[in-house]
């Protein structure tokens, strides 16, 4: 059984992720140490390094759910999307971001960069490309890149206070932007 399949390893990684979020509820990610995380998780420092190369890798892993939630929220509709009615999952996604906002903003820089931004952009681009190809839509690569860049950039800027609006307002506005990208004639 590999370390990925080993339930003990999965439980240890979950304890480390929970410990990181607990520490970040009290202080910024930049002030959290490996020593603090392993103490909270009740594991040894060597155990930490068996699973992660450092805190940033742990933090990105801990935030992996946000990436899956974002990708799923944007694709939580079937049929012809209505620009005036974003999927409820998209609004729920934006509303739920406050749960670990300080960690997310530490890993997602304005403009959509940072380690979390890179993972979000990659996964969203891949899902969008696949969906467009399955639908037979033109310019799958180009539109998927535009969708991923737009969503990741707006999300990051909103989280950093550079885009005004409440979670429902931003969800509705970004939904309209993404629908417009999908509907744009490129030739």
């Amino acid at each position: 059984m590999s370390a990925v399949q080993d339930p003990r390893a999965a439980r240890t990684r979950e304890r480390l992720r929970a410990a990181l979020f607990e520490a970040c509820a009290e202080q910024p990610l930049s002030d959290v140490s490996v020593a603090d995380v392993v103490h909270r998780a009740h594991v040894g420092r060597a155990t930490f390094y068996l699973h992660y190369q450092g805190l940033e890798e742990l933090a990105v892993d801990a935030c992996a759910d946000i990436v899956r939630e974002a990708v799923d929220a944007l694709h939580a509709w079937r049929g012809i999307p209505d620009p005036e009615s974003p999927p409820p999952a998209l609004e729920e996604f934006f509303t739920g971001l406050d749960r670990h906002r300080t960690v997310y903003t530490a890993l997602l820089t304005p403009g959509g960069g940072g380690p979390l931004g890179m993972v979000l952009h990659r996964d969203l681009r891949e899902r969008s490309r696949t969906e467009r190809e399955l639908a037979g839509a033109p310019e799958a690569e180009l539109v998927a890149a535009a969708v991923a860049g737009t969503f990741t950039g707006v999300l990051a800027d909103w989280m950093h206070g550079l885009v005004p609006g409440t979670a429902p307002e931003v969800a509705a506005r970004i939904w309209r932007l993404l629908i417009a990208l999908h509907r744009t004639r490129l030739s």
Side-chain angles (χ1 to χ4, degrees):
M1 183 179 304
S2 74
V4 174
Q5 298 169 334
D6 184 348
R8 293 170 299 170
R11 283 191 301 271
T12 299
R13 285 191 302 276
E14 182 54 39
R15 286 174 41 202
L16 289 165
R17 289 188 293 262
L20 176 77
F21 283 133
E22 183 182 310
C24 288
E26 299 170 6
Q27 59 193 336
L29 177 61
S30 58
D31 293 344
V32 174
S33 68
V34 171
D36 186 22
V37 171
V38 298
H39 174 75
R40 290 170 187 265
H42 305 289
V43 300
R45 193 175 189 89
T47 299
F48 175 91
Y49 287 109
L50 283 173
H51 297 279
Y52 301 103
Q53 292 181 358
L55 279 175
E56 184 176 284
E57 186 179 355
L58 167 60
V60 171
D61 181 47
C63 295
D65 287 343
I66 187 181
V67 173
R68 283 189 293 281
E69 289 170 15
V71 172
D72 289 345
L74 282 175
H75 293 89
W77 55 273
R78 292 291 170 246
I80 299 172
D82 177 3
E84 299 307 315
S85 298
L90 185 60
E91 185 176 319
E92 291 167 14
F93 167 76
F94 274 90
T95 303
L97 290 172
D98 279 337
R99 183 180 59 212
H100 301 300
R101 188 180 200 101
T102 58
V103 180
Y104 300 151
T105 56
L107 299 170
L108 183 64
T109 60
L116 187 58
M118 290 172 34
V119 172
L120 178 58
H121 186 276
R122 180 198 67 216
D123 289 4
L124 185 52
R125 183 183 65 229
E126 180 60 25
R127 176 82 172 265
S128 294
R129 182 191 58 75
T130 300
E131 296 262 339
R132 285 189 69 81
E133 286 175 351
L134 288 172
E139 302 283 356
E141 291 289 343
L142 179 65
V143 174
V147 165
T150 298
F151 182 81
T152 305
V154 172
L155 171 66
D157 285 358
W158 177 70
M159 291 192 74
H160 283 277
L162 302 172
V163 171
T166 64
E169 291 168 346
V170 174
R173 289 169 36 213
I174 201 164
W175 179 247
R176 285 190 293 274
L177 271 173
L178 297 177
I179 297 299
L181 281 172
H182 279 286
R183 291 183 176 170
T184 300
R185 292 184 47 100
L186 301 169
S187 44

